[in-house]
PDB file of all heavy atoms in Angstrom:
ATOM      1  N   THR A  15       0.900  -1.296   0.050  1.00  0.00           N
ATOM      2  CA  THR A  15      -0.055   0.021   0.025  1.00  0.00           C
ATOM      3  C   THR A  15       0.858   1.168  -0.009  1.00  0.00           C
ATOM      4  O   THR A  15       0.603   2.152  -0.737  1.00  0.00           O
ATOM      5  CB  THR A  15      -0.896   0.020   1.257  1.00  0.00           C
ATOM      6  OG1 THR A  15      -1.781  -1.082   1.216  1.00  0.00           O
ATOM      7  CG2 THR A  15      -1.836   1.286   1.222  1.00  0.00           C
ATOM      8  N   LYS A  16       1.845   1.257   0.862  1.00  0.00           N
ATOM      9  CA  LYS A  16       2.794   2.457   0.792  1.00  0.00           C
ATOM     10  C   LYS A  16       3.568   2.625  -0.510  1.00  0.00           C
ATOM     11  O   LYS A  16       3.796   3.690  -0.918  1.00  0.00           O
ATOM     12  CB  LYS A  16       3.749   2.266   1.951  1.00  0.00           C
ATOM     13  CG  LYS A  16       3.268   2.329   3.376  1.00  0.00           C
ATOM     14  CD  LYS A  16       4.351   2.156   4.437  1.00  0.00           C
ATOM     15  CE  LYS A  16       3.632   2.231   5.896  1.00  0.00           C
ATOM     16  NZ  LYS A  16       4.793   2.044   6.888  1.00  0.00           N
ATOM     17  N   ARG A  17       3.873   1.460  -1.077  1.00  0.00           N
ATOM     18  CA  ARG A  17       4.496   1.441  -2.349  1.00  0.00           C
ATOM     19  C   ARG A  17       3.582   2.151  -3.432  1.00  0.00           C
ATOM     20  O   ARG A  17       4.110   2.879  -4.282  1.00  0.00           O
ATOM     21  CB  ARG A  17       4.762   0.063  -2.840  1.00  0.00           C
ATOM     22  CG  ARG A  17       5.649  -0.050  -4.207  1.00  0.00           C
ATOM     23  CD  ARG A  17       7.005   0.513  -3.999  1.00  0.00           C
ATOM     24  NE  ARG A  17       7.801   0.437  -5.187  1.00  0.00           N
ATOM     25  CZ  ARG A  17       8.819   1.033  -5.275  1.00  0.00           C
ATOM     26  NH1 ARG A  17       9.297   1.916  -4.460  1.00  0.00           N
ATOM     27  NH2 ARG A  17       9.665   0.881  -6.486  1.00  0.00           N
ATOM     28  N   LEU A  18       2.333   1.870  -3.501  1.00  0.00           N
ATOM     29  CA  LEU A  18       1.420   2.527  -4.435  1.00  0.00           C
ATOM     30  C   LEU A  18       1.508   4.063  -4.221  1.00  0.00           C
ATOM     31  O   LEU A  18       1.442   4.811  -5.217  1.00  0.00           O
ATOM     32  CB  LEU A  18       0.008   1.938  -4.233  1.00  0.00           C
ATOM     33  CG  LEU A  18      -0.352   0.833  -5.180  1.00  0.00           C
ATOM     34  CD1 LEU A  18      -1.727   0.354  -4.905  1.00  0.00           C
ATOM     35  CD2 LEU A  18      -0.212   0.946  -6.575  1.00  0.00           C
ATOM     36  N   LYS A  19       1.475   4.541  -2.975  1.00  0.00           N
ATOM     37  CA  LYS A  19       1.456   5.868  -2.627  1.00  0.00           C
ATOM     38  C   LYS A  19       2.722   6.649  -3.231  1.00  0.00           C
ATOM     39  O   LYS A  19       2.742   7.813  -3.734  1.00  0.00           O
ATOM     40  CB  LYS A  19       1.299   6.148  -1.298  1.00  0.00           C
ATOM     41  CG  LYS A  19      -0.006   5.790  -0.591  1.00  0.00           C
ATOM     42  CD  LYS A  19      -0.105   6.086   0.902  1.00  0.00           C
ATOM     43  CE  LYS A  19      -1.518   5.608   1.404  1.00  0.00           C
ATOM     44  NZ  LYS A  19      -1.583   5.768   2.876  1.00  0.00           N
ATOM     45  N   LYS A  20       3.849   5.797  -3.091  1.00  0.00           N
ATOM     46  CA  LYS A  20       5.091   6.458  -3.680  1.00  0.00           C
ATOM     47  C   LYS A  20       5.047   6.461  -5.214  1.00  0.00           C
ATOM     48  O   LYS A  20       5.514   7.367  -5.777  1.00  0.00           O
ATOM     49  CB  LYS A  20       6.219   5.482  -3.260  1.00  0.00           C
ATOM     50  CG  LYS A  20       6.732   5.523  -1.831  1.00  0.00           C
ATOM     51  CD  LYS A  20       7.468   6.909  -1.552  1.00  0.00           C
ATOM     52  CE  LYS A  20       7.866   7.021  -0.105  1.00  0.00           C
ATOM     53  NZ  LYS A  20       8.543   8.268   0.113  1.00  0.00           N
ATOM     54  N   MET A  21       4.350   5.452  -5.791  1.00  0.00           N
ATOM     55  CA  MET A  21       4.305   5.376  -7.197  1.00  0.00           C
ATOM     56  C   MET A  21       3.464   6.571  -7.816  1.00  0.00           C
ATOM     57  O   MET A  21       3.788   7.181  -8.772  1.00  0.00           O
ATOM     58  CB  MET A  21       3.636   4.071  -7.709  1.00  0.00           C
ATOM     59  CG  MET A  21       4.478   2.875  -7.533  1.00  0.00           C
ATOM     60  SD  MET A  21       6.029   2.837  -8.391  1.00  0.00           S
ATOM     61  CE  MET A  21       7.102   3.407  -7.031  1.00  0.00           C
ATOM     62  N   ASP A  22       2.434   6.956  -6.944  1.00  0.00           N
ATOM     63  CA  ASP A  22       1.647   8.097  -7.327  1.00  0.00           C
ATOM     64  C   ASP A  22       2.432   9.313  -7.374  1.00  0.00           C
ATOM     65  O   ASP A  22       2.355  10.208  -8.276  1.00  0.00           O
ATOM     66  CB  ASP A  22       0.433   8.230  -6.339  1.00  0.00           C
ATOM     67  CG  ASP A  22      -0.557   9.325  -6.823  1.00  0.00           C
ATOM     68  OD1 ASP A  22      -1.187   9.115  -7.864  1.00  0.00           O
ATOM     69  OD2 ASP A  22      -0.683  10.375  -6.117  1.00  0.00           O
ATOM     70  N   LYS A  23       3.374   9.566  -6.379  1.00  0.00           N
ATOM     71  CA  LYS A  23       4.111  10.745  -6.250  1.00  0.00           C
ATOM     72  C   LYS A  23       5.249  10.739  -7.384  1.00  0.00           C
ATOM     73  O   LYS A  23       5.547  11.678  -7.870  1.00  0.00           O
ATOM     74  CB  LYS A  23       4.786  10.806  -4.860  1.00  0.00           C
ATOM     75  CG  LYS A  23       3.909  10.995  -3.679  1.00  0.00           C
ATOM     76  CD  LYS A  23       4.553  11.148  -2.382  1.00  0.00           C
ATOM     77  CE  LYS A  23       3.433  11.459  -1.295  1.00  0.00           C
ATOM     78  NZ  LYS A  23       4.113  11.529   0.096  1.00  0.00           N
ATOM     79  N   ILE A  24       5.772   9.513  -7.560  1.00  0.00           N
ATOM     80  CA  ILE A  24       6.833   9.505  -8.748  1.00  0.00           C
ATOM     81  C   ILE A  24       6.129   9.837 -10.014  1.00  0.00           C
ATOM     82  O   ILE A  24       6.819  10.664 -10.841  1.00  0.00           O
ATOM     83  CB  ILE A  24       7.342   8.062  -8.812  1.00  0.00           C
ATOM     84  CG1 ILE A  24       8.186   7.681  -7.575  1.00  0.00           C
ATOM     85  CG2 ILE A  24       8.111   7.828 -10.015  1.00  0.00           C
ATOM     86  CD1 ILE A  24       8.807   6.299  -7.507  1.00  0.00           C
ATOM     87  N   GLY A  25       4.933   9.359 -10.271  1.00  0.00           N
ATOM     88  CA  GLY A  25       4.317   9.841 -11.540  1.00  0.00           C
ATOM     89  C   GLY A  25       4.124  11.287 -11.588  1.00  0.00           C
ATOM     90  O   GLY A  25       4.155  11.890 -12.767  1.00  0.00           O
ATOM     91  N   LYS A  26       3.703  11.931 -10.573  1.00  0.00           N
ATOM     92  CA  LYS A  26       3.603  13.348 -10.623  1.00  0.00           C
ATOM     93  C   LYS A  26       4.924  14.050 -10.733  1.00  0.00           C
ATOM     94  O   LYS A  26       4.834  15.180 -11.296  1.00  0.00           O
ATOM     95  CB  LYS A  26       2.885  13.767  -9.239  1.00  0.00           C
ATOM     96  CG  LYS A  26       1.411  13.323  -9.154  1.00  0.00           C
ATOM     97  CD  LYS A  26       0.951  13.727  -7.726  1.00  0.00           C
ATOM     98  CE  LYS A  26      -0.589  13.341  -7.552  1.00  0.00           C
ATOM     99  NZ  LYS A  26      -1.211  13.541  -6.307  1.00  0.00           N
ATOM    100  N   ASN A  27       5.883  13.476 -10.227  1.00  0.00           N
ATOM    101  CA  ASN A  27       7.251  14.213 -10.316  1.00  0.00           C
ATOM    102  C   ASN A  27       7.877  14.100 -11.743  1.00  0.00           C
ATOM    103  O   ASN A  27       8.699  14.914 -12.211  1.00  0.00           O
ATOM    104  CB  ASN A  27       8.259  13.587  -9.256  1.00  0.00           C
ATOM    105  CG  ASN A  27       8.020  14.219  -7.872  1.00  0.00           C
ATOM    106  OD1 ASN A  27       7.234  15.117  -7.775  1.00  0.00           O
ATOM    107  ND2 ASN A  27       8.660  13.641  -6.875  1.00  0.00           N
ATOM    108  N   ALA A  28       7.554  12.970 -12.498  1.00  0.00           N
ATOM    109  CA  ALA A  28       8.150  12.693 -13.723  1.00  0.00           C
ATOM    110  C   ALA A  28       7.871  13.782 -14.668  1.00  0.00           C
ATOM    111  O   ALA A  28       6.755  14.304 -14.745  1.00  0.00           O
ATOM    112  CB  ALA A  28       7.842  11.351 -14.261  1.00  0.00           C
ATOM    113  N   MET A  29       8.858  14.171 -15.559  1.00  0.00           N
ATOM    114  CA  MET A  29       8.622  15.194 -16.597  1.00  0.00           C
ATOM    115  C   MET A  29       7.849  14.568 -17.810  1.00  0.00           C
ATOM    116  O   MET A  29       7.414  15.414 -18.611  1.00  0.00           O
ATOM    117  CB  MET A  29       9.922  15.763 -17.060  1.00  0.00           C
ATOM    118  CG  MET A  29      10.837  14.899 -17.767  1.00  0.00           C
ATOM    119  SD  MET A  29      12.207  15.629 -18.437  1.00  0.00           S
ATOM    120  CE  MET A  29      11.508  16.578 -19.853  1.00  0.00           C
ATOM    121  N   GLY A  30       7.791  13.242 -17.931  1.00  0.00           N
ATOM    122  CA  GLY A  30       7.091  12.705 -19.090  1.00  0.00           C
ATOM    123  C   GLY A  30       7.267  11.159 -19.041  1.00  0.00           C
ATOM    124  O   GLY A  30       8.070  10.605 -18.198  1.00  0.00           O
ATOM    125  N   VAL A  31       6.558  10.473 -19.952  1.00  0.00           N
ATOM    126  CA  VAL A  31       6.664   9.179 -20.110  1.00  0.00           C
ATOM    127  C   VAL A  31       7.525   8.869 -21.428  1.00  0.00           C
ATOM    128  O   VAL A  31       7.116   9.369 -22.504  1.00  0.00           O
ATOM    129  CB  VAL A  31       5.362   8.409 -20.304  1.00  0.00           C
ATOM    130  CG1 VAL A  31       5.454   6.938 -20.536  1.00  0.00           C
ATOM    131  CG2 VAL A  31       4.517   8.643 -18.966  1.00  0.00           C
ATOM    132  N   MET A  32       8.527   8.105 -21.393  1.00  0.00           N
ATOM    133  CA  MET A  32       9.358   7.855 -22.583  1.00  0.00           C
ATOM    134  C   MET A  32      10.128   6.581 -22.414  1.00  0.00           C
ATOM    135  O   MET A  32      10.520   6.082 -21.471  1.00  0.00           O
ATOM    136  CB  MET A  32      10.575   9.122 -22.465  1.00  0.00           C
ATOM    137  CG  MET A  32      11.181   9.358 -23.817  1.00  0.00           C
ATOM    138  SD  MET A  32      12.359  10.754 -23.669  1.00  0.00           S
ATOM    139  CE  MET A  32      11.151  12.091 -23.152  1.00  0.00           C
ATOM    140  N   ARG A  33      10.282   5.998 -23.712  1.00  0.00           N
ATOM    141  CA  ARG A  33      10.976   4.698 -23.805  1.00  0.00           C
ATOM    142  C   ARG A  33      12.520   4.982 -23.489  1.00  0.00           C
ATOM    143  O   ARG A  33      13.069   6.163 -23.532  1.00  0.00           O
ATOM    144  CB  ARG A  33      10.852   4.106 -25.070  1.00  0.00           C
ATOM    145  CG  ARG A  33       9.503   3.623 -25.368  1.00  0.00           C
ATOM    146  CD  ARG A  33       9.206   2.987 -26.835  1.00  0.00           C
ATOM    147  NE  ARG A  33       7.918   2.461 -26.948  1.00  0.00           N
ATOM    148  CZ  ARG A  33       7.568   1.178 -26.699  1.00  0.00           C
ATOM    149  NH1 ARG A  33       8.531   0.350 -26.274  1.00  0.00           N
ATOM    150  NH2 ARG A  33       6.388   0.711 -26.885  1.00  0.00           N
ATOM    151  N   PHE A  34      13.156   3.824 -23.214  1.00  0.00           N
ATOM    152  CA  PHE A  34      14.605   3.982 -22.718  1.00  0.00           C
ATOM    153  C   PHE A  34      15.479   4.727 -23.713  1.00  0.00           C
ATOM    154  O   PHE A  34      16.146   5.636 -23.445  1.00  0.00           O
ATOM    155  CB  PHE A  34      15.218   2.600 -22.437  1.00  0.00           C
ATOM    156  CG  PHE A  34      14.608   1.918 -21.298  1.00  0.00           C
ATOM    157  CD1 PHE A  34      14.692   0.555 -21.016  1.00  0.00           C
ATOM    158  CD2 PHE A  34      14.028   2.703 -20.141  1.00  0.00           C
ATOM    159  CE1 PHE A  34      14.073  -0.168 -19.959  1.00  0.00           C
ATOM    160  CE2 PHE A  34      13.409   2.165 -19.068  1.00  0.00           C
ATOM    161  CZ  PHE A  34      13.478   0.665 -18.993  1.00  0.00           C
ATOM    162  N   GLN A  35      15.469   4.302 -24.992  1.00  0.00           N
ATOM    163  CA  GLN A  35      16.468   4.835 -26.009  1.00  0.00           C
ATOM    164  C   GLN A  35      16.193   6.277 -26.212  1.00  0.00           C
ATOM    165  O   GLN A  35      17.238   7.091 -26.206  1.00  0.00           O
ATOM    166  CB  GLN A  35      16.341   3.976 -27.319  1.00  0.00           C
ATOM    167  CG  GLN A  35      17.539   4.493 -28.255  1.00  0.00           C
ATOM    168  CD  GLN A  35      18.869   4.126 -27.554  1.00  0.00           C
ATOM    169  OE1 GLN A  35      19.204   3.173 -27.210  1.00  0.00           O
ATOM    170  NE2 GLN A  35      19.750   5.235 -27.625  1.00  0.00           N
ATOM    171  N   PRO A  36      15.016   6.773 -26.449  1.00  0.00           N
ATOM    172  CA  PRO A  36      14.731   8.158 -26.598  1.00  0.00           C
ATOM    173  C   PRO A  36      15.197   8.999 -25.242  1.00  0.00           C
ATOM    174  O   PRO A  36      15.736  10.046 -25.431  1.00  0.00           O
ATOM    175  CB  PRO A  36      13.229   8.277 -26.896  1.00  0.00           C
ATOM    176  CG  PRO A  36      12.846   7.036 -27.449  1.00  0.00           C
ATOM    177  CD  PRO A  36      13.766   6.031 -26.756  1.00  0.00           C
ATOM    178  N   ALA A  37      14.890   8.463 -24.231  1.00  0.00           N
ATOM    179  CA  ALA A  37      15.300   9.103 -22.978  1.00  0.00           C
ATOM    180  C   ALA A  37      16.747   9.228 -22.900  1.00  0.00           C
ATOM    181  O   ALA A  37      17.315  10.234 -22.457  1.00  0.00           O
ATOM    182  CB  ALA A  37      14.709   8.359 -21.734  1.00  0.00           C
ATOM    183  N   LEU A  38      17.509   8.177 -23.232  1.00  0.00           N
ATOM    184  CA  LEU A  38      19.028   8.165 -23.206  1.00  0.00           C
ATOM    185  C   LEU A  38      19.550   9.259 -24.212  1.00  0.00           C
ATOM    186  O   LEU A  38      20.494   9.918 -23.815  1.00  0.00           O
ATOM    187  CB  LEU A  38      19.584   6.785 -23.548  1.00  0.00           C
ATOM    188  CG  LEU A  38      21.060   6.657 -23.576  1.00  0.00           C
ATOM    189  CD1 LEU A  38      21.527   6.775 -22.091  1.00  0.00           C
ATOM    190  CD2 LEU A  38      21.371   5.202 -23.983  1.00  0.00           C
ATOM    191  N   ASN A  39      18.975   9.322 -25.366  1.00  0.00           N
ATOM    192  CA  ASN A  39      19.434  10.256 -26.394  1.00  0.00           C
ATOM    193  C   ASN A  39      19.269  11.611 -25.824  1.00  0.00           C
ATOM    194  O   ASN A  39      20.147  12.361 -26.036  1.00  0.00           O
ATOM    195  CB  ASN A  39      18.595   9.973 -27.657  1.00  0.00           C
ATOM    196  CG  ASN A  39      18.881   8.760 -28.401  1.00  0.00           C
ATOM    197  OD1 ASN A  39      19.960   8.131 -28.103  1.00  0.00           O
ATOM    198  ND2 ASN A  39      18.097   8.333 -29.328  1.00  0.00           N
ATOM    199  N   ARG A  40      18.117  11.953 -25.202  1.00  0.00           N
ATOM    200  CA  ARG A  40      17.930  13.268 -24.703  1.00  0.00           C
ATOM    201  C   ARG A  40      18.755  13.664 -23.510  1.00  0.00           C
ATOM    202  O   ARG A  40      19.105  14.828 -23.362  1.00  0.00           O
ATOM    203  CB  ARG A  40      16.356  13.413 -24.506  1.00  0.00           C
ATOM    204  CG  ARG A  40      15.526  13.440 -25.743  1.00  0.00           C
ATOM    205  CD  ARG A  40      14.107  13.470 -25.448  1.00  0.00           C
ATOM    206  NE  ARG A  40      13.779  14.825 -25.032  1.00  0.00           N
ATOM    207  CZ  ARG A  40      12.491  15.226 -24.771  1.00  0.00           C
ATOM    208  NH1 ARG A  40      11.438  14.328 -24.943  1.00  0.00           N
ATOM    209  NH2 ARG A  40      12.281  16.482 -24.173  1.00  0.00           N
ATOM    210  N   ILE A  41      19.164  12.591 -22.651  1.00  0.00           N
ATOM    211  CA  ILE A  41      20.036  12.777 -21.638  1.00  0.00           C
ATOM    212  C   ILE A  41      21.408  13.304 -22.264  1.00  0.00           C
ATOM    213  O   ILE A  41      22.089  14.150 -21.737  1.00  0.00           O
ATOM    214  CB  ILE A  41      20.256  11.577 -20.720  1.00  0.00           C
ATOM    215  CG1 ILE A  41      18.905  11.444 -19.889  1.00  0.00           C
ATOM    216  CG2 ILE A  41      21.377  11.673 -19.782  1.00  0.00           C
ATOM    217  CD1 ILE A  41      18.894  10.221 -19.081  1.00  0.00           C
ATOM    218  N   LEU A  42      21.907  12.517 -23.282  1.00  0.00           N
ATOM    219  CA  LEU A  42      23.154  12.844 -23.930  1.00  0.00           C
ATOM    220  C   LEU A  42      23.216  14.340 -24.498  1.00  0.00           C
ATOM    221  O   LEU A  42      24.200  14.889 -24.609  1.00  0.00           O
ATOM    222  CB  LEU A  42      23.477  11.801 -24.918  1.00  0.00           C
ATOM    223  CG  LEU A  42      23.817  10.417 -24.406  1.00  0.00           C
ATOM    224  CD1 LEU A  42      23.822   9.405 -25.458  1.00  0.00           C
ATOM    225  CD2 LEU A  42      25.223  10.422 -23.626  1.00  0.00           C
ATOM    226  N   LEU A  43      21.876  14.669 -24.971  1.00  0.00           N
ATOM    227  CA  LEU A  43      21.819  15.983 -25.556  1.00  0.00           C
ATOM    228  C   LEU A  43      21.644  17.160 -24.407  1.00  0.00           C
ATOM    229  O   LEU A  43      21.385  18.256 -24.859  1.00  0.00           O
ATOM    230  CB  LEU A  43      20.579  16.042 -26.498  1.00  0.00           C
ATOM    231  CG  LEU A  43      20.726  15.205 -27.806  1.00  0.00           C
ATOM    232  CD1 LEU A  43      19.475  15.077 -28.571  1.00  0.00           C
ATOM    233  CD2 LEU A  43      21.809  15.811 -28.648  1.00  0.00           C
ATOM    234  N   LYS A  44      21.652  16.605 -23.176  1.00  0.00           N
ATOM    235  CA  LYS A  44      21.478  17.606 -22.146  1.00  0.00           C
ATOM    236  C   LYS A  44      20.116  18.210 -22.039  1.00  0.00           C
ATOM    237  O   LYS A  44      19.890  19.312 -21.427  1.00  0.00           O
ATOM    238  CB  LYS A  44      22.528  18.690 -22.090  1.00  0.00           C
ATOM    239  CG  LYS A  44      24.070  18.256 -22.027  1.00  0.00           C
ATOM    240  CD  LYS A  44      24.954  19.393 -21.988  1.00  0.00           C
ATOM    241  CE  LYS A  44      26.474  18.835 -22.071  1.00  0.00           C
ATOM    242  NZ  LYS A  44      27.351  19.986 -22.048  1.00  0.00           N
ATOM    243  N   GLU A  45      19.119  17.542 -22.475  1.00  0.00           N
ATOM    244  CA  GLU A  45      17.726  18.041 -22.377  1.00  0.00           C
ATOM    245  C   GLU A  45      17.202  17.852 -21.073  1.00  0.00           C
ATOM    246  O   GLU A  45      16.269  18.646 -20.529  1.00  0.00           O
ATOM    247  CB  GLU A  45      16.853  17.446 -23.441  1.00  0.00           C
ATOM    248  CG  GLU A  45      17.284  17.822 -24.830  1.00  0.00           C
ATOM    249  CD  GLU A  45      16.319  17.409 -25.909  1.00  0.00           C
ATOM    250  OE1 GLU A  45      15.089  16.913 -25.556  1.00  0.00           O
ATOM    251  OE2 GLU A  45      16.632  17.404 -26.995  1.00  0.00           O
ATOM    252  N   PHE A  46      17.679  16.830 -20.278  1.00  0.00           N
ATOM    253  CA  PHE A  46      17.380  16.585 -18.943  1.00  0.00           C
ATOM    254  C   PHE A  46      18.469  15.789 -18.295  1.00  0.00           C
ATOM    255  O   PHE A  46      19.302  15.145 -19.066  1.00  0.00           O
ATOM    256  CB  PHE A  46      15.950  16.056 -18.676  1.00  0.00           C
ATOM    257  CG  PHE A  46      15.584  14.716 -19.434  1.00  0.00           C
ATOM    258  CD1 PHE A  46      15.827  13.475 -18.772  1.00  0.00           C
ATOM    259  CD2 PHE A  46      15.027  14.808 -20.668  1.00  0.00           C
ATOM    260  CE1 PHE A  46      15.640  12.341 -19.494  1.00  0.00           C
ATOM    261  CE2 PHE A  46      14.836  13.572 -21.328  1.00  0.00           C
ATOM    262  CZ  PHE A  46      15.080  12.421 -20.748  1.00  0.00           C
ATOM    263  N   ALA A  47      18.394  15.636 -16.911  1.00  0.00           N
ATOM    264  CA  ALA A  47      19.621  15.097 -16.302  1.00  0.00           C
ATOM    265  C   ALA A  47      19.718  13.603 -16.204  1.00  0.00           C
ATOM    266  O   ALA A  47      20.824  12.997 -16.332  1.00  0.00           O
ATOM    267  CB  ALA A  47      19.758  15.686 -14.935  1.00  0.00           C
ATOM    268  N   TYR A  48      18.684  12.907 -15.969  1.00  0.00           N
ATOM    269  CA  TYR A  48      18.702  11.436 -15.672  1.00  0.00           C
ATOM    270  C   TYR A  48      17.437  10.716 -15.825  1.00  0.00           C
ATOM    271  O   TYR A  48      16.283  11.368 -15.853  1.00  0.00           O
ATOM    272  CB  TYR A  48      19.223  11.239 -14.274  1.00  0.00           C
ATOM    273  CG  TYR A  48      18.690  12.049 -13.201  1.00  0.00           C
ATOM    274  CD1 TYR A  48      17.412  11.740 -12.582  1.00  0.00           C
ATOM    275  CD2 TYR A  48      19.248  13.187 -12.654  1.00  0.00           C
ATOM    276  CE1 TYR A  48      16.815  12.574 -11.500  1.00  0.00           C
ATOM    277  CE2 TYR A  48      18.697  14.028 -11.713  1.00  0.00           C
ATOM    278  CZ  TYR A  48      17.525  13.710 -11.179  1.00  0.00           C
ATOM    279  OH  TYR A  48      16.930  14.540 -10.150  1.00  0.00           O
ATOM    280  N   THR A  49      17.536   9.376 -15.830  1.00  0.00           N
ATOM    281  CA  THR A  49      16.243   8.544 -15.840  1.00  0.00           C
ATOM    282  C   THR A  49      16.636   7.228 -15.268  1.00  0.00           C
ATOM    283  O   THR A  49      17.861   6.739 -15.344  1.00  0.00           O
ATOM    284  CB  THR A  49      15.806   8.496 -17.397  1.00  0.00           C
ATOM    285  OG1 THR A  49      14.483   7.922 -17.268  1.00  0.00           O
ATOM    286  CG2 THR A  49      16.606   7.448 -18.198  1.00  0.00           C
TER     287      THR A  49
END
């Protein structure tokens, strides 16, 4: 139950939903810091 609450907060904090490779490419381009 506590885990679900954390997942809700993580979802609100995320800047977006993205597959691994596009996210990695954008990290290398310095569009955001980490994933």
